[in-house]
Amino acid sequence: MEKDIIKQIILNQQEFISKVELLPRKLSMEKNANYVFVGIRRAGKTYMLYQHIQQLLRQGHDKQEILFINFEDERITDIRKEELHLIVECYKEMFACDPIIFLDEIQNVEGWEHFARRLADEKRQVFITGSNAHMLSREIASTLGGRYLMQEVYPFSFPEYLEYHHITLDAHWQLAPVRADVVRLFEGYFYNGGLPESFGYADKRAWLTSLYQKILYSDIVIRNNVRNEQSLRLLVRKLADSVLQPMAVKRLQNILQGDGSKVTRETISSYLGYLHDAYLIFSLSNFNDSIPQREGTKKHYFYDNGILNLFLFQPETKLLENLVAIQLYKQYGEALFYYNKNVEVDFVIPDAGLAIQVSYALRDEQTRGREINALISLSRFMEIKTALIISKDQEETIEQDGLKIKVVPIWKWLVP
């Protein structure tokens, strides 16, 4: 690796970052701590680094203190872990001060965690991003030795999406004309998702398709040496189509074999792990099941509605539940479950006493009765402090059999 290339990259980034325009996101970091930011591609991890750098500059730091390397820069894509020390070495040959180090998409370099550990041991301040959940694994966490705080970055929330479109909400926004703007803008967010780079494109579907192909090929097929790419692609389509339903690995195997794909259960389990690691999907367990059963049958959701919508026909019902799942998973993580034993409830958070059904509309009496009765049945053997039915646009309060159920439109529920 030529030093002149690294030095040019450092200089270019110092000039670029100080001038880049961005929409500030909520970013709370402990002083003097080192961070690893992970999440799906294009969720905004790099711009979080830019935002922090601009905060440092406003606080009086000089741009020469910034050492920023993007490991997807084609000039250094072949850098090896044995050469990573050249980054700091090149910086020290250019500047006399100690750098604040930003390493973007460093997971492309195998063994990166040893370099990151050494930087922390040298008491340097370091910020890292990556698009692979393996960066949160026990193995890497052990290597880093507690020197870094881990933080997941999600696509834009609906409030962030509104802020991007210059919509400011006050305490009385539901009574003001801005309410109509919220409902109108929600449609775009609902169908196209919250990946911020897509907002500026007229043909959002084409951009999302390109991103999906990049994730599938670069972050999954190449990184994991997947030989049966056709089966992997088919699995993603089947997961999208069954986003409302619990799916056992055996069931997925039968579906794929029915379409002519000869894959084992072990291969499907591996593929699901790869999809998780690339932040394409996340999964929920059945709260009622034993631990082995929880691992075998899960509900699978996509991290972004826009990517999910690439695979759907008449997508509204699935997009609605997927969007609710994203919001709840961001808030509750592994404490979020679905419930399925004699009664089906879409989401339960036992620790919070929260139970949620998702229904696009409650105008059909059969649908209405099914959703209400499921929550009432669950309340008889699980303490429910809050029962919700999240709809597309209906709102009311239902009191039945001692249970108070609030029906709330999703665009309202998403806004705090």
Side-chain angles (χ1 to χ4, degrees), residues 102-266:
F102 299 84
L103 306 173
D104 196 19
E105 299 292 353
I106 197 176
Q107 83 281 345
N108 294 331
V109 182
E110 187 174 353
W112 65 270
E113 60 271 20
H114 300 283
F115 174 63
R117 166 68 179 263
R118 181 164 60 83
L119 291 176
D121 287 343
E122 294 172 355
K123 306 301 180 184
R124 300 188 185 277
Q125 193 166 13
V126 188
F127 301 87
I128 292 170
T129 75
S131 301
N132 194 301
H134 182 63
M135 298 179 79
L136 299 176
S137 69
R138 183 176 300 176
E139 174 189 349
I140 288 181
S142 176
T143 301
L144 294 177
R147 270 68 169 179
Y148 290 79
L149 299 177
M150 302 289 187
Q151 192 166 122
E152 291 183 297
V153 179
Y154 287 81
F156 272 31
S157 65
F158 185 47
E160 287 176 320
Y161 183 80
L162 292 174
E163 186 178 353
Y164 174 87
H165 289 281
H166 310 292
I167 299 296
T168 302
L169 304 182
D170 59 22
H172 307 289
W173 68 269
Q174 293 185 60
L175 303 176
V178 72
R179 180 183 184 279
D181 294 327
V182 171
V183 176
R184 174 179 54 82
L185 287 169
F186 176 75
E187 294 302 304
Y189 182 77
F190 182 67
Y191 289 103
N192 300 316
L195 293 165
E197 193 173 326
S198 71
F199 300 164
Y201 284 82
D203 191 347
K204 292 177 174 55
R205 188 177 184 87
W207 185 88
L208 288 163
T209 299
S210 176
L211 174 63
Y212 167 68
Q213 299 295 347
K214 175 69 173 176
I215 294 172
L216 194 77
Y217 187 70
S218 297
D219 297 340
I220 301 176
V221 173
I222 297 298
R223 180 169 295 156
N224 300 290
N225 194 26
V226 174
R227 298 180 181 180
N228 192 345
E229 185 178 339
Q230 180 179 354
S231 292
L232 176 64
R233 290 181 178 274
L234 180 58
L235 175 63
V236 175
R237 291 200 299 270
K238 295 301 181 182
L239 290 173
D241 190 52
S242 60
V243 88
L244 305 178
Q245 306 164 7
M247 297 292 285
V249 172
K250 179 61 176 177
R251 171 63 175 156
L252 288 170
Q253 182 190 23
N254 292 339
I255 292 173
L256 265 63
Q257 288 181 341
D259 283 342
S261 295
K262 296 181 179 180
V263 291
T264 65
R265 293 172 66 177
E266 291 74 18

Side-chain angles (χ1 to χ4, degrees), residues 28 72 87 95 161 176 186 205 210 224 232 279 366 378 393:
S28 177
E72 293 196 321
I87 293 171
F95 306 105
Y161 183 80
F186 176 75
R205 188 177 184 87
S210 176
N224 300 290
L232 176 64
Y279 283 95
Q366 184 176 356
L378 181 63
D393 55 18

Side-chain angles (χ1 to χ4, degrees), residues 252-386:
L252 288 170
Q253 182 190 23
N254 292 339
I255 292 173
L256 265 63
Q257 288 181 341
D259 283 342
S261 295
K262 296 181 179 180
V263 291
T264 65
R265 293 172 66 177
E266 291 74 18
T267 297
I268 291 176
S269 293
S270 295
Y271 286 176
L272 289 171
Y274 302 156
L275 295 172
H276 279 90
D277 283 348
Y279 283 95
L280 197 62
I281 67 168
F282 61 94
S283 303
L284 304 184
S285 301
N286 186 356
F287 181 68
N288 179 66
D289 287 343
S290 65
I291 297 299
Q293 290 173 318
R294 288 183 184 182
E295 293 305 309
T297 303
K298 296 190 175 186
K299 293 178 76 173
H300 305 284
Y301 297 95
F302 284 65
Y303 272 94
D304 185 72
N305 261 27
I307 291 179
L308 171 60
N309 198 22
L310 295 174
F311 307 98
L312 301 180
F313 175 71
Q314 294 182 335
E316 286 75 16
T317 300
K318 292 171 182 176
L319 290 179
L320 182 66
E321 183 166 323
N322 193 77
L323 190 53
V324 173
I326 293 170
Q327 179 67 18
L328 291 173
Y329 191 69
K330 286 167 62 176
Q331 185 172 357
Y332 295 103
E334 298 302 317
L336 174 65
F337 301 88
Y338 72 93
Y339 187 91
N340 191 338
K341 183 182 179 181
N342 301 324
V343 60
E344 296 182 12
V345 177
D346 295 324
F347 302 105
V348 294
I349 303 92
D351 294 344
L354 176 60
I356 297 177
Q357 291 287 68
V358 180
S359 181
Y360 196 82
L362 294 176
R363 296 178 180 88
D364 177 76
E365 286 301 319
Q366 184 176 356
T367 300
R368 182 183 180 89
R370 181 182 66 243
E371 307 293 5
I372 294 172
N373 290 332
L375 291 169
I376 292 173
S377 296
L378 181 63
S379 71
R380 291 176 180 144
F381 51 89
M382 179 185 296
E383 182 182 6
I384 297 179
K385 299 176 182 177
T386 305

